[in-house]
Amino acid sequence: MMSVTDVATRADEGPAAEVKRQEIDEVTVRFAGDSGDGVQLTGGRFTEATALAGNDLATFPDFPAEIRAPVGTTFGVSAFQIHFGARRIYTPGDAPDVLVVFNPAALKVNLPDLVKGGLVILDSGTFNKRNLAKAGFDQDPREDGSLDGYRVLEIDITAQTHNAVEGLGITNKEAGRCKNFWTLGFVYWLYGRDRAATVDWINGKFGQKRPEIAAANIAALNAGHAAAETAELGADISAVHVSPAPLEQGLYRNITGAEALSIGLVAGAQLADLPMKFCSYPITPASSLLHELAKLKSFGVTTFQAEDEIAAVCAAIGASYAGGLGVTSSSGPGIALKTEAIGLAIGVELPLVIVNAQRAGPSTGMPTKTEQSDLYQSVFGRNADAPLIVLAARSPADCFDTAIEAVKLSTKYMVPVILLSDGFIANASEPWQVPDFNDYAPFPVKFRDDPEGFQPFGRNADTLARPWAKPGTPGLEHRIGGIERAEDSGNISYEPENHERMTKIRAQKVLNAAQDIPDQIVDSGPPTGKIAFVSWGSTYGSISSGVKRALADGLEASHIHLRHIWPLPRNLGDLLSGFERVIVPEMNNGQLVTLLRSEYAIDAEPLTQITGRPFKADRIYRLIKDAS
């Protein structure tokens, strides 16, 4: 266990000094502390610096469920994990190699995840008797053997930070809040990160309104960097270098799932030549989509924060009825409240995009923890026979293209589309190669404006979609509502035969969307063989990494990832029949596996995890190895 106590505090804002660094291929770092310690901000700035260094990366922000948990308790621990490397990165890492903790509670919660021999950097200034008791420690873990087997670096970050910002005109409390930037500067030196972008960010954030806060944070950042550069860290703790990853040439930006969804929805609306109306009600973890879209008014986006979930979805349906693109979002509990209105959109056959950022349930469940909880709800969860299209994004960057596809299918088939993300995808980030928007083919909507032969529920022979007529168009007046409609005319009908025909037409219309769904491919591994892993949503990265590792070791396995949950790809049944075993890893109790069994009568095997955390790639690899 080492201690850093006597350090310099020079204010050098340039790149890290030239030092001999250990070359490594990849590393996973986790920052953890109280929810008021600025952990997410620290992780976000480190992510930006890492992206600018040219590494590929994936992140996992882990928020506490308690909004105002007692300070220093395990209930209030916030964490941010980043996995980065000199190769393609698909997951935020199975376990951290480096754990940076701001208090005893963060150590208590996160130490079990740290790899053996991993590095712990801790703020010794917070390891007092009171904080240890609040974290549930009977003894100081630094003294009772709890940290044996780890490399430990003790730093009184709290004291060092106060020394660094002394005389800059801020309060003692404000000085304490700068310790995340001191820590960031320290870790920047360890990994050779440039501070310039972070300094620019601090100045942009605080420079005009609170220049003294900006100066203090910059001073803390530089002091932490100088501390690492001048400290004697010991033979087993060294500065490291991670070479840039071999990414395709192009313009990249770091993007979260919420950001990519926002841009993708706007792009879809532009390609459809429609104004977008986003109507939502705040709920974790879907609220970030409302925040992001509120910034995009210049692209013809109107955002409406409704008084409740039902009002939000009804307003979105109204927007589509009026000739715009209605979009709403929520998480599982909110989608449940929207269900009757979603049935209305299915019945009146209007386009509607519904984003579901899934979280652990049921009911309130664990609102800040991720789960693939709502496949059943999305495919089956409405009264009567009321099918719609269901898509699932696989990663933060993939949200962009998935959102465009949701808009295209919804407007072409005049049907609601549920787009599934989850808490992990919404908040996590990765590098995204910004595409050329000119490469995307427009799919402009054609509104009916000719009254000759107009039937509001007449059908396109190919898609079975009904015509879209804006209210107020002369000669195109028609009845609309929740009661069953007569075929073609749309008049109210209680005829049994008509109801059966309309039910089957609406179902067939959704199935017809399969003609716009590409054939399913095998992402990695042979097209037939002993074992195939079928994934959907955010499990993509872990399954892909586990299978690719097995293939590199000469083991046999394949990976099939689904974006299209309903309707399923037309060739999927034949594809799955070519494997002796089909295993379906899911962060639920086995929902996709039930769907695959019912559709294809195959003996698909569930592999479930319901912990609120992403799958680990190593679990997939070991399963393949054990089966070989």
Side-chain angles (χ1 to χ4, degrees):
M1 185 175 295
M2 297 194 61
S3 175
V4 175
T5 56
D6 184 20
V7 297
T9 57
R10 64 180 187 158
D12 173 17
E13 295 183 11
E18 289 295 328
V19 295
K20 185 177 181 180
R21 294 179 175 273
Q22 178 189 359
E23 188 73 33
I24 60 175
D25 184 55
E26 61 181 306
V27 66
T28 300
V29 178
R30 182 183 297 179
F31 301 92
D34 210 65
S35 57
D37 285 333
V39 170
Q40 302 303 324
L41 187 153
T42 304
R45 294 303 96 210
F46 188 78
T47 298
E48 179 187 54
T50 298
L52 290 172
N55 301 130
D56 198 13
L57 62 92
T59 70
F60 176 44
D62 191 9
F63 302 94
E66 301 292 334
I67 296 175
R68 291 188 180 274
V71 175
T73 65
T74 56
F75 301 107
V77 171
S78 177
F80 187 103
Q81 182 163 303
I82 175 172
H83 179 201
F84 58 98
R87 59 172 183 81
R88 290 307 307 268
I89 299 295
Y90 297 97
T91 78
D94 283 358
D97 304 294
V98 179
L99 177 61
V100 183
V101 294
F102 289 106
N103 63 9
L107 182 68
K108 178 91 170 180
V109 171
N110 291 282
L111 185 63
D113 295 334
L114 185 65
V115 300
K116 286 299 180 183
L119 173 62
V120 180
I121 301 174
L122 61 83
D123 180 4
S124 61
T126 63
F127 277 69
N128 53 49
K129 186 175 181 180
R130 183 168 178 266
N131 286 340
L132 289 167
K134 286 200 291 185
F137 284 113
D138 296 325
Q139 299 181 25
D140 191 328
R142 299 172 298 172
E143 301 171 356
D144 66 1
S146 298
L147 298 178
D148 291 350
Y150 302 103
R151 296 170 294 145
V152 181
L153 187 57
E154 284 193 57
I155 312 171
D156 192 342
I157 296 173
T158 300
Q160 296 285 352
T161 303
H162 279 83
N163 291 338
V165 303
E166 186 176 3
L168 294 178
I170 61 173
T171 67
N172 194 56
K173 183 177 181 181
E174 289 169 337
R177 289 176 176 170
C178 297
K179 71 176 185 178
N180 61 328
F181 280 104
W182 193 100
T183 308
L184 191 59
F186 192 96
V187 178
Y188 273 6
W189 184 86
L190 287 179
Y191 292 98
R193 296 289 175 253
D194 194 332
R195 287 161 283 160
T198 302
V199 171
D200 290 343
W201 183 89
I202 293 171
N203 282 323
K205 181 76 172 176
F206 303 107
Q208 289 189 342
K209 293 183 178 181
R210 295 292 306 275
E212 71 279 10
I213 295 293
N217 281 323
I218 292 170
L221 178 76
N222 291 325
H225 191 275
E229 189 173 8
T230 58
E232 296 291 335
L233 298 179
D236 61 344
I237 303 174
S238 62
V240 300
H241 177 257
V242 183
S243 297
L247 301 175
E248 182 181 343
Q249 290 293 317
L251 175 65
Y252 285 83
R253 62 162 288 186
N254 195 51
I255 201 164
T256 67
E259 291 168 339
L261 270 176
S262 301
I263 300 170
L265 289 168
V266 172
Q270 296 277 329
L271 292 169
D273 195 21
L274 291 173
M276 190 176 106
K277 314 294 182 183
F278 182 77
C279 310
S280 189
Y281 178 76
I283 182 174
T284 302
S287 300
S288 51
L289 188 57
L290 178 59
H291 300 159
E292 293 299 327
L293 283 168
K295 305 173 186 176
L296 302 177
K297 295 179 182 178
S298 59
F299 294 96
V301 178
T302 300
T303 52
F304 167 55
Q305 181 175 317
E307 64 268 31
D308 56 44
E309 297 282 9
I310 298 172
V313 65
C314 288
I317 294 170
S320 291
Y321 175 60
L325 175 64
V327 183
T328 190
S329 73
S330 193
S331 299
I335 299 296
L337 292 169
K338 296 178 189 287
T339 297
E340 182 182 359
I342 294 172
L344 172 64
I346 293 169
V348 299
E349 301 185 51
L350 284 169
L352 176 70
V353 177
I354 306 140
V355 178
N356 181 352
Q358 301 164 98
R359 70 188 207 185
S363 186
T364 306
M366 299 192 296
T368 61
K369 306 305 178 184
T370 196
E371 193 168 291
Q372 293 178 305
S373 49
D374 300 333
L375 186 146
Y376 282 164
Q377 182 188 49
S378 300
V379 177
F380 304 115
R382 289 162 296 282
N383 62 298
D385 291 291
L388 44 63
I389 296 171
V390 182
L391 306 178
R394 73 184 190 183
S395 69
D398 184 56
C399 286
F400 177 79
D401 287 313
T402 308
I404 291 176
E405 185 171 9
V407 175
K408 183 176 182 179
L409 292 174
S410 185
T411 54
K412 181 173 182 178
Y413 289 91
M414 295 292 285
V415 66
V417 174
I418 289 181
L419 195 169
L420 294 169
S421 73
D422 58 33
F424 168 53
I425 289 177
N427 296 314
S429 62
E430 64 181 349
W432 174 54
Q433 185 174 9
V434 179
D436 186 343
F437 195 56
N438 294 319
D439 293 339
Y440 289 80
F443 43 89
V445 166
K446 294 182 179 179
F447 292 98
R448 179 66 183 260
D449 57 9
D450 180 11
E452 181 67 28
F454 173 64
Q455 292 278 20
F457 283 84
R459 303 288 167 183
N460 178 290
D462 182 43
T463 64
L464 293 183
R466 79 174 185 90
W468 196 355
K470 291 183 182 180
T473 305
L476 301 186
E477 298 84 0
H478 60 281
R479 186 187 301 272
I480 197 165
I483 297 176
E484 183 62 280
R485 290 141 298 280
E487 190 175 1
D488 294 333
S489 72
N491 294 330
I492 290 175
S493 173
Y494 292 99
E495 294 295 326
E497 293 80 7
N498 175 80
H499 176 57
E500 183 168 359
R501 286 196 305 273
M502 291 294 280
T503 299
K504 291 184 179 296
I505 287 171
R506 289 189 291 263
Q508 186 59 51
K509 181 176 68 166
V510 171
L511 294 177
N512 284 353
Q515 64 192 351
D516 284 310
I517 293 174
D519 282 350
Q520 183 62 48
I521 62 170
V522 177
D523 285 69
S524 54
T528 59
K530 292 182 178 179
I531 185 171
F533 290 86
V534 182
S535 63
W536 67 280
S538 65
T539 58
Y540 170 79
S542 299
I543 314 308
S544 177
S545 295
V547 171
K548 287 178 178 178
R549 179 184 169 191
L551 292 170
D553 286 352
L555 305 175
E556 184 179 337
S558 298
H559 177 212
I560 299 169
H561 184 82
L562 304 181
R563 172 186 285 180
H564 305 91
I565 308 301
W566 194 258
L568 292 162
R570 290 167 294 179
N571 69 322
L572 182 60
D574 291 338
L575 191 62
L576 297 180
S577 67
F579 293 92
E580 296 176 20
R581 294 178 66 190
V582 173
I583 299 176
V584 186
E586 298 182 79
M587 294 188 294
N588 57 44
N589 206 29
Q591 297 187 22
L592 178 63
V593 71
T594 302
L595 186 63
L596 296 179
R597 285 170 171 173
S598 67
E599 285 298 303
Y600 304 121
I602 60 172
D603 188 22
E605 305 171 36
L607 181 64
T608 63
Q609 176 177 301
I610 323 168
T611 61
R613 292 188 171 188
F615 260 89
K616 292 184 177 181
D618 189 63
R619 184 180 180 189
I620 304 302
Y621 171 79
R622 293 190 180 281
L623 194 156
I624 297 170
K625 190 173 182 179
D626 292 344
S628 299

